[in-house]
Amino acid sequence: MPSSLLTVLLFLLSIPSSSAQTYNILSYGAKPDGKTDSTKALTAVWAKACASVKPVTILVPKGRFFLRSIIFDGAKCKRKSVTFRIQGTLVAPSDYRIIGKENYWILFQHLDGLSVYGGVLDAQGTSLWSCKKSGKNCPSGATSIGFQSSSNVVISGLTSLNSQMFHVAINGCRNVKLEGVKVSADGNSPNTDGIHVQSSSTVSILNSKISTGDDCVSIGPGTNGLWIENVACGPGHGISIGSLGKESVEAGVQNITVKTATFTGTENGVRIKSWARPSNGFAKNIRFQHCVMNNVQNPIVIDQNYCPGNENCPNQVSGIKISDVMFFDIHGTSATEVGVKLDCSSKKPCTGIRIQDVKLTYRNKPATTDCSHAGGSEAGFQRPNSCL
């Protein structure tokens, strides 16, 4: 072999491998007994992963790992891409006061190329729900897992149980894919939204099952480009855009598709709601299609007179402009007589509403419709008859 070729070969062999580095939290003192505090171990693992120039996988093996509130901040990491592979269960403190005043139990932020695969998050939120129902002075509760100011995020096969507040929150992110997510909490659990999305673009929620006490999916201001497909919802409050218009100056919601969703025993099916007070916000280019309603109280609803507790909004009207909304191929059973309720703003009437091939029954008879300040068109089969 020529000496020059041998020199090149030896040089190539001397280059460090770029293969992924795996950090097992057991190696940093975590114990899978559900009692030993693993927060320090995960913090130490994150420091190592953050300092690595190689691709990094953090492994949470089988077992139950007790975890207090923790933030995984990628702002100063050498690589912004990290993989979390969770084979076991992360368990929050049973005493809700320990994390109840935190915004999040687990928060990921300032990352690009984050993947979270598998695992169970058990937030043990039932004691906080009981506190809230009793009328005592309780903390608001922590969202179980949040993703903030990040891009190119994948969340696959994650299960969230009994959150104190929201289960999963996506805030200020771009290009996020959630697939095979399972959310489970009691139908009477307060403020336990399944997946909340706001101020984010290009987000997809696919092949997921959500059973909770509030919205299955809630869509907040600043959401642009959300695709929801093959989601089963129930119990819960349905898939809701809003509430919008809480602030007088607010980013709009646009380019939303909800496709092939099933709602069973939910309070609402597909809903847009806004506060009855002035705002410059809007909701436009929205598609609800191929949805099945099984004994749903309000299968199709636009509510622009949302005024919880009659505070800060009585005798006012919503400034949110709702336009270009399609309800296509929505069928099943309503638990109330009114299957379609479009209660729009007298100041900013709904425009471009399209209802096509809707078939909703109440006690084996056609459900009814109730519209105010709503304009648009109908096509195809209609039961109940459209009120547009």
Side-chain angles (χ1 to χ4, degrees):
M1 180 183 296
S3 59
S4 58
L5 185 57
L6 179 60
T7 302
V8 170
L9 183 59
L10 290 172
F11 172 76
L12 291 173
L13 289 171
S14 69
I15 296 175
S17 169
S18 61
S19 60
Q21 176 76 49
T22 298
Y23 296 99
N24 188 324
I25 66 169
L26 292 178
S27 302
Y28 292 80
K31 295 205 167 31
D33 56 13
K35 298 176 184 178
T36 304
D37 192 344
S38 298
T39 312
K40 284 186 178 179
L42 264 164
T43 301
V45 168
W46 183 251
K48 277 279 189 182
C50 211
S52 176
V53 295
K54 296 181 181 180
V56 170
T57 295
I58 293 174
L59 175 65
V60 179
K62 291 180 180 178
R64 291 175 66 82
F65 296 89
F66 177 87
L67 182 66
R68 296 169 186 262
S69 181
I70 191 167
I71 297 175
F72 299 108
D73 190 343
K76 296 181 180 179
C77 291
K78 291 185 177 178
R79 289 179 62 93
K80 303 291 185 184
S81 59
V82 178
T83 298
F84 261 78
R85 199 166 291 279
I86 307 172
Q87 297 171 346
T89 299
L90 297 174
V91 186
S94 57
D95 181 348
Y96 62 79
R97 292 170 297 185
I98 294 174
I99 67 167
K101 292 183 179 180
E102 303 290 341
N103 290 328
Y104 298 93
W105 173 28
I106 301 166
L107 174 63
F108 292 92
Q109 63 183 11
H110 305 125
L111 292 159
D112 184 356
L114 170 68
S115 300
V116 179
Y117 295 112
V120 177
L121 307 180
D122 184 356
Q124 302 202 85
T126 53
S127 60
L128 179 57
W129 309 339
S130 298
C131 178
K132 288 181 176 180
K133 289 173 187 174
S134 72
K136 295 177 185 174
N137 186 18
C138 318
S140 59
T143 290
S144 285
I145 188 167
F147 300 86
Q148 195 163 278
S149 305
S150 296
S151 56
N152 303 308
V153 177
V154 174
I155 303 139
S156 179
L158 180 71
T159 297
S160 177
L161 305 176
N162 299 329
S163 62
Q164 289 189 350
M165 243 210 11
F166 293 2
H167 286 263
V168 181
I170 310 296
N171 182 21
C173 293
R174 180 182 60 81
N175 194 17
V176 180
K177 180 179 180 181
L178 301 98
E179 184 163 21
V181 171
K182 183 178 180 182
V183 167
S184 180
D186 188 87
N188 293 317
S189 56
N191 305 118
T192 53
D193 292 36
I195 300 171
H196 177 71
V197 181
Q198 70 176 40
S199 303
S200 297
S201 62
T202 319
V203 178
S204 59
I205 302 170
L206 311 172
N207 309 318
S208 296
K209 182 173 179 12
I210 302 172
S211 307
T212 192
D214 210 297
D215 293 337
C216 294
V217 180
S218 54
I219 302 159
T223 302
N224 182 0
L226 172 62
W227 186 280
I228 300 171
E229 184 172 1
N230 194 24
V231 169
C233 173
H237 293 180
I239 293 178
S240 295
I241 295 175
S243 52
L244 304 178
K246 191 173 184 179
E247 308 296 336
S248 60
V249 177
E250 185 177 274
V253 172
Q254 57 191 320
N255 306 319
I256 311 295
T257 297
V258 177
K259 181 179 181 182
T260 320
T262 302
F263 302 84
T264 303
T266 52
E267 186 176 289
N268 306 289
V270 291
R271 173 171 64 160
I272 304 173
K273 64 174 179 174
S274 70
W275 287 73
R277 58 193 193 199
S279 177
N280 72 335
F282 62 85
K284 67 181 182 181
N285 192 21
I286 296 157
R287 303 287 177 266
F288 300 111
Q289 57 195 52
H290 311 308
C291 296
V292 178
M293 305 290 168
N294 297 316
N295 199 38
V296 173
Q297 290 182 41
N298 306 290
I300 295 174
V301 57
I302 295 177
D303 176 11
Q304 291 206 263
N305 287 294
Y306 180 67
C307 188
N310 284 324
E311 295 180 4
N312 303 317
C313 41
N315 306 316
Q316 298 186 65
V317 293
S318 175
I320 297 292
K321 176 60 179 174
I322 296 174
S323 62
D324 190 14
V325 182
M326 173 184 270
F327 301 98
F328 172 60
D329 183 25
I330 295 175
H331 58 276
T333 55
S334 175
T336 60
E337 191 173 353
V338 179
V340 179
K341 184 177 178 69
L342 307 179
D343 187 7
C344 296
S345 170
S346 58
K347 182 180 180 181
K348 294 282 183 73
C350 299
T351 59
I353 308 296
R354 182 175 175 84
I355 296 178
Q356 181 173 346
D357 295 334
V358 170
K359 181 180 179 181
L360 294 167
T361 60
Y362 169 66
R363 294 182 176 175
N364 296 316
K365 295 180 181 179
T368 63
T369 59
D370 182 1
C371 298
S372 58
H373 310 294
S377 62
E378 60 181 77
F381 187 89
Q382 298 299 327
R383 184 187 293 172
N385 292 326
S386 173
C387 56
L388 290 172

